[in-house]
Amino acid sequence: MTTAVLDAPAASAAQSVAARMKPVSRSADTLFRWLCLGMAVGVLALVVLVGWQLWSGAQSAIHKFGVGFLTRSAWDPVQGEFGALPFIYGTLVSSLLGLAIATPLAVGTAIFLTELAPNWLRQPIAFLTEMLAAIPSVILGLWAIFIMLPLLPRYLFPFLKKTLGFLPLFQGPTYSAYSMIAAAIIIAIMILPIITSVSREILRSVPDLQREAAYGLGATRWEVTRIAVLSYAKKGIFGAMILGLGRALGETMAVTMVIGNTPKIAASLFQPGYTLASVIANEFAEATTDDYRNALIAVGLVLFGVTVVINLLARLLLKFGNTQTGAVH
Amino acid sequence: MNDQPAALPETSVKATLPASAYMNSPDRGAPPPAASQPKPAIDARNVNIFYGQKHAVIDVTLGIPTKSVTAIIGPSGCGKSTFLRCLNRLHELIPGSRMNGTILLNGDDLYAPTVDPTVVRRRVGMVFQKSNPFPTMSIADNVTVGLRLNGVRDRAFLRERTEDALRKAALWDEVKNDLGKPGISLSGGQQQRLCIARAVAVQPEVLLMDEPTSALDPIATVKVEELMNELKRNFTIVIVTHSMQQATRVADQTAFFYLGRLVEYAPTRELFNNPKQKQTEAYITGRFG
């Protein structure tokens, strides 16, 4: 009896609360869904559109030059000879060399920031590394021309010749500082921030339990970093490298300013070269004939293709690595 | 603490363990040890631990007898895990932590200025709350990683140690055909036993366990508890646990921590059946914690 008395006001309260609530509406939910879908489709469409535009723009060049466009190394607009091989070579070599220089620096910085640096030092260094990404490409190029290039023939080239001169890569004359090496160094500087900050996030995501497991076994700092941190994070670090490589392939301004812009394939890294991105930036404005313009658009298509292929290869490698170690992440 | 007067009532004399092995804080009083009693494996005296301004462990004096299981119980934040971690200097990884007092491991001062913490951790192994095998290593490599860190390269010896450690961890029969598989392919309970094998492979003098079964299901928990009973024949075990039932099942003696202090330390049965301190009684009867 008492419960009935107690229940009555509770029930009416529940009723009044329900009465005040709006009926469930799905319209906002539906709008939200379609809006997000639209944006995702938009991004996808943009990629497809760019690819299609390049493809159709390059059609006449493809018809005219055929597959030979990719394998010929002569680039002589005056004679109407167009071969993209020197640019493909220059792009791949400068990017991979830049990646090789940048990766140890970036991973070392990331390890220092997550494992070794005292707390008060972490933020400032991380900030400065990311500031590097904010420097406009053309400013870096100017710095390279005025400061870096004069130093190369004086210090770096003789040193490389002396220590690694047995390799064809480091032979030949060194009279000009405009070279593949200069381009690789500038690329390394430009991709350093992205590799560092992504690696840092990856290292930070390594659970402390992993570190404690290693410390608990009596590991030193270096051993902890090696067995618990780096082996856990190596796939993520590889991913960071691929992001960096993606940037390197398309890097244009600063590279153009230091690579020497010579469409030749030279064995020596002391020699100048040319990249796919640089040749488009340099020559598009002065491309007077239709063939010339179409050839440059085809170069753009090749750059697009190289980037896509490299990213696909990286993904395959990651997948392959996964099945190898059987790790679940 | 030899100058402390005997203040414990008669019942403690009947304890199965030498009283000196579980010396209480000075203010609780402890009986003078008899001359024939064995030395404790770990002898902690007046241990204080600070994290910045926080005084996490306050003046704890505790002797841990060799080749037995000692449980540390108490509510969350009572300093029990911190105390456990100072036994292998793992708390030093937290910036701003300070410790004073003395901890002797079989007579050696773990905090002497010349002692390298990595050497301490090779003598005092640890098993953590969540199993943490190295994900990129095989089962066998996980077991031998501690030995390999110490420069052991002899493959035959490593194989022999792998089997021995896995047998000690009661895991050998389950994994002997899968030693090359990744350690994280095992189930949760197996992973925790793998971590135990990894810790015992280097033959530490003391094995610390920080709530080792809190992430395990009841069946896996029973297995780990049975394992502790086996392991104490060879090792000195200190376990921190949230579960009082677990303490009664596995521990020879139990220490109750509250608000950073050691409140009571006695043979397990005695602590649970006949607690001397009001706080202990309140905690074990579920009135707080």
Side-chain angles (χ1 to χ4, degrees):
Chain A
M1 209 174 87
T2 45
T3 51
V5 174
L6 284 174
D7 275 354
S12 76
Q15 251 173 12
S16 72
V17 168
R20 275 157 208 264
M21 286 200 271
K22 274 195 294 182
V24 178
S25 154
R26 293 259 169 250
S27 59
D29 220 37
T30 315
L31 184 72
F32 173 70
R33 268 177 72 116
W34 284 104
L35 215 66
C36 288
L37 181 71
M39 287 169 186
V41 169
V43 171
L44 224 103
L46 208 63
V47 176
V48 173
L49 220 67
V50 168
W52 182 77
Q53 198 82 57
L54 281 170
W55 176 256
S56 64
Q59 273 312 306
S60 57
I62 291 170
H63 278 304
K64 189 144 190 184
F65 309 120
V67 187
F69 185 69
L70 296 175
T71 55
R72 269 199 302 273
S73 53
W75 181 267
D76 190 345
V78 182
Q79 304 294 323
E81 283 185 75
F82 299 99
L85 193 61
F87 310 119
I88 299 174
Y89 175 80
T91 297
L92 289 179
V93 169
S94 63
S95 297
L96 290 173
L97 196 59
L99 187 67
I101 299 170
T103 301
L105 284 171
V107 175
T109 309
I111 291 175
F112 179 72
L113 285 174
T114 51
E115 308 296 318
L116 303 171
N119 267 332
W120 59 270
L121 202 60
R122 293 183 183 195
Q123 245 4 75
I125 293 187
F127 177 71
L128 284 176
T129 328
E130 262 147 48
M131 274 298 289
L132 208 55
I135 300 175
S137 181
V138 67
I139 304 286
L140 267 181
L142 279 179
W143 169 82
I145 287 175
F146 289 114
I147 313 287
M148 187 184 90
L149 288 187
L151 297 176
L152 295 184
R154 217 182 302 161
Y155 301 106
L156 185 67
F157 291 176
F159 170 77
L160 286 175
K161 262 191 146 165
K162 212 161 61 189
T163 50
L164 296 166
F166 57 89
L167 294 169
L169 290 175
F170 301 103
Q171 287 167 2
T174 57
Y175 44 80
S176 167
Y178 291 92
S179 59
M180 205 66 108
I181 288 187
I185 294 174
I186 208 76
I187 284 176
I189 294 172
M190 302 193 72
I191 64 176
L192 198 57
I194 178 100
I195 304 182
T196 308
S197 60
V198 175
S199 301
R200 182 165 145 257
E201 286 309 313
I202 299 287
L203 294 182
R204 282 213 311 210
S205 75
V206 175
D208 273 339
L209 258 171
Q210 288 290 318
R211 294 187 181 88
E212 286 182 344
Y215 274 119
L217 289 165
T220 62
R221 246 174 216 277
W222 157 238
E223 288 162 343
V224 171
T225 307
R226 184 166 56 85
I227 66 171
V229 179
L230 283 181
S231 65
Y232 192 96
K234 62 186 174 203
K235 279 193 202 90
I237 290 173
F238 184 72
M241 287 171 64
I242 295 308
L243 275 179
L245 185 61
R247 295 241 167 141
L249 292 169
E251 203 43 71
T252 311
M253 197 59 224
V255 173
T256 310
M257 291 166 82
V258 299
I259 199 169
N261 300 332
T262 309
K264 283 205 173 69
I265 296 176
S268 170
L269 298 176
F270 299 136
Q271 296 293 310
Y274 220 157
T275 68
L276 293 161
S278 314
V279 73
I280 299 173
N282 264 342
E283 302 186 6
F284 205 81
E286 57 203 51
T288 41
T289 63
D290 279 349
D291 274 1
Y292 198 178
R293 277 178 70 95
N294 291 337
L296 284 173
I297 294 175
V299 167
L301 180 68
V302 173
L303 179 55
F304 191 76
V306 167
T307 320
V308 170
V309 166
I310 292 239
N311 270 300
L312 283 178
L313 278 179
R315 249 154 231 271
L316 281 178
L317 246 151
L318 269 179
K319 219 174 157 186
F320 182 64
N322 255 336
T323 53
Q324 281 257 303
T325 61
V328 254
H329 42 98
Chain B
M1 301 317 114
N2 296 3
D3 53 346
Q4 289 298 320
L8 286 179
E10 270 300 299
T11 45
S12 71
V13 177
K14 293 179 198 145
T16 49
L17 281 142
S20 69
Y22 44 91
M23 287 182 294
N24 280 336
S25 307
D27 58 323
R28 306 292 178 211
S36 62
Q37 282 158 359
K39 273 189 173 175
I42 286 182
D43 189 358
R45 293 180 194 156
N46 305 104
V47 171
N48 286 280
I49 303 168
F50 304 84
Y51 291 131
Q53 292 300 308
K54 186 176 155 45
H55 198 162
V57 172
I58 305 163
D59 202 36
V60 169
T61 295
L62 184 72
I64 289 165
T66 190
K67 296 196 177 162
S68 67
V69 178
T70 304
I72 303 178
I73 60 167
S76 298
C78 68
K80 58 190 191 301
S81 273
T82 302
F83 180 74
L84 189 78
R85 280 162 180 254
C86 86
L87 298 180
N88 70 347
R89 296 182 64 170
L90 209 60
H91 72 290
E92 289 175 7
L93 297 180
I94 295 162
S97 67
R98 279 178 298 131
M99 179 271 187
N100 63 51
T102 316
I103 296 177
L104 301 179
L105 170 62
N106 293 323
D108 302 331
D109 184 355
L110 295 185
Y111 284 82
T114 51
V115 171
D116 184 341
T118 62
V119 175
V120 172
R121 293 174 201 140
R122 282 167 199 201
R123 294 177 64 184
V124 183
M126 182 133 182
V127 176
F128 297 85
Q129 202 166 344
K130 270 181 69 187
S131 62
N132 52 0
F134 297 116
T136 54
M137 290 185 196
S138 67
I139 291 171
D141 285 349
N142 261 297
V143 176
T144 56
V145 61
L147 292 166
R148 286 181 287 122
L149 279 176
N150 284 304
V152 178
R153 290 283 171 271
D154 181 354
R155 280 169 174 277
F157 179 72
L158 285 176
R159 259 200 302 278
E160 186 185 303
R161 294 301 313 151
T162 307
E163 177 170 348
D164 180 67
L166 285 170
R167 278 191 193 283
K168 283 205 175 99
L171 192 59
W172 174 252
D173 290 329
E174 291 161 59
V175 302
K176 62 185 171 194
N177 297 320
D178 301 323
L179 292 176
K181 283 195 182 164
I184 48 172
S185 64
L186 299 173
S187 73
Q190 289 174 321
Q191 283 191 28
Q192 190 62 303
R193 279 180 283 146
L194 178 61
C195 293
I196 292 171
R198 180 176 66 186
V200 302
V202 292
Q203 294 195 321
E205 291 157 57
V206 176
L207 193 57
L208 308 178
M209 297 183 158
D210 190 356
E211 298 181 33
T213 61
S214 61
L216 301 183
D217 64 58
I219 293 168
T221 300
V222 168
K223 279 197 172 153
V224 170
E225 287 177 0
E226 284 170 351
L227 185 54
M228 278 184 244
N229 269 321
E230 285 296 309
L231 286 170
K232 76 176 179 186
R233 286 193 293 179
N234 297 304
F235 301 97
T236 304
I237 297 176
V238 188
I239 173 178
V240 160
T241 177
H242 260 304
S243 152
M244 286 180 269
Q245 287 77 11
Q246 182 165 62
T248 59
R249 287 192 298 260
V250 302
D252 298 299
Q253 53 278 328
T254 298
F256 171 59
F257 275 55
Y258 185 58
L259 297 176
R261 290 177 198 277
L262 173 62
V263 174
E264 188 163 353
Y265 183 33
T268 301
R269 190 173 299 175
E270 196 180 309
L271 186 118
F272 282 98
N273 291 342
N274 191 12
K276 301 287 172 301
Q277 302 295 329
K278 281 213 162 65
Q279 284 171 330
T280 316
E281 195 188 346
Y283 182 68
I284 61 176
T285 53
R287 265 181 276 152
F288 72 89

